[in-house]
Amino acid sequence: VSMTDAQKVDAIFAEGATQYPLTVLVDGWGVVSSVPKGIYCPDMCEAAFDDGTNVELTATPESGWSFAGWDGACAGTTNPCVVPMTDAQKVGAFFTQNVTRHTLTVALAGSGKVSSAPDGIFCPDVCEADFDEGTFVELTASPRAGWWFSWQGACSGATNPCVVPMT
């Protein structure tokens, strides 16, 4: 090519898609994933998505946990939820541990009262309550003046208060 030959150069410019960050924070034991791909969080994570994209987030609890709900751009409990990417977005996903509860029932014979710590039992009015597994419930007997008491069942003897492990 000689210096006299004409050379042509084309400069082509294309507009790029605007992207916004989607930040997800997970509280508890579970995973949040997205469609389109980009989010897979056991903790906190962030990914950029094109303007106008609807990102579907799905919360999946670990064994022994339940999905409790969203906050931020995904308020409520609908799962999955959809986040329209029109700006930077933040979402919180909350998981709660499943707790087994057991019922404690107090039967009174004679005259007196029984209360519990933690609260729940105040017998003769409320003689049955549910407590979380692993809780140690302290029962305190208050016999009426002139009466004595004795425990039977999960508590035995005259030890006051009596502690009942909820297993």
Side-chain angles (χ1 to χ4, degrees), residues 46-135:
E46 183 176 289
F49 294 94
D50 290 345
D51 182 23
T53 301
N54 286 327
V55 178
E56 182 178 276
L57 295 177
T58 301
T60 306
E62 296 289 336
S63 178
W65 290 73
S66 297
F67 174 65
W70 306 99
D71 76 352
C74 272
T77 57
T78 301
N79 189 24
C81 79
V82 176
V83 180
M85 296 304 296
T86 56
D87 202 350
Q89 302 287 0
K90 292 184 180 180
V91 173
F94 298 91
F95 298 92
T96 57
Q97 191 169 17
N98 300 336
V99 177
T100 302
R101 295 184 56 87
H102 300 287
T103 302
L104 176 59
T105 304
V106 173
L108 288 182
S111 187
K113 295 180 180 185
V114 175
S115 59
S116 69
D119 290 339
I121 302 285
F122 192 75
C123 198
D125 298 324
V126 180
C127 297
E128 185 174 283
D130 291 336
F131 296 94
D132 291 348
E133 183 166 341
T135 301

Side-chain angles (χ1 to χ4, degrees), residues 2-63:
S2 70
M3 294 296 264
T4 58
D5 291 338
Q7 300 294 324
K8 179 179 178 192
V9 175
D10 292 326
I12 300 172
F13 297 95
E15 184 176 348
T18 301
Q19 290 194 322
Y20 296 110
L22 172 57
T23 304
V24 177
L25 175 63
V26 176
D27 183 31
W29 289 93
V31 172
V32 175
S33 58
S34 70
V35 173
K37 292 182 180 181
I39 300 286
Y40 188 83
C41 302
D43 288 317
M44 181 181 139
C45 59
E46 183 176 289
F49 294 94
D50 290 345
D51 182 23
T53 301
N54 286 327
V55 178
E56 182 178 276
L57 295 177
T58 301
T60 306
E62 296 289 336
S63 178

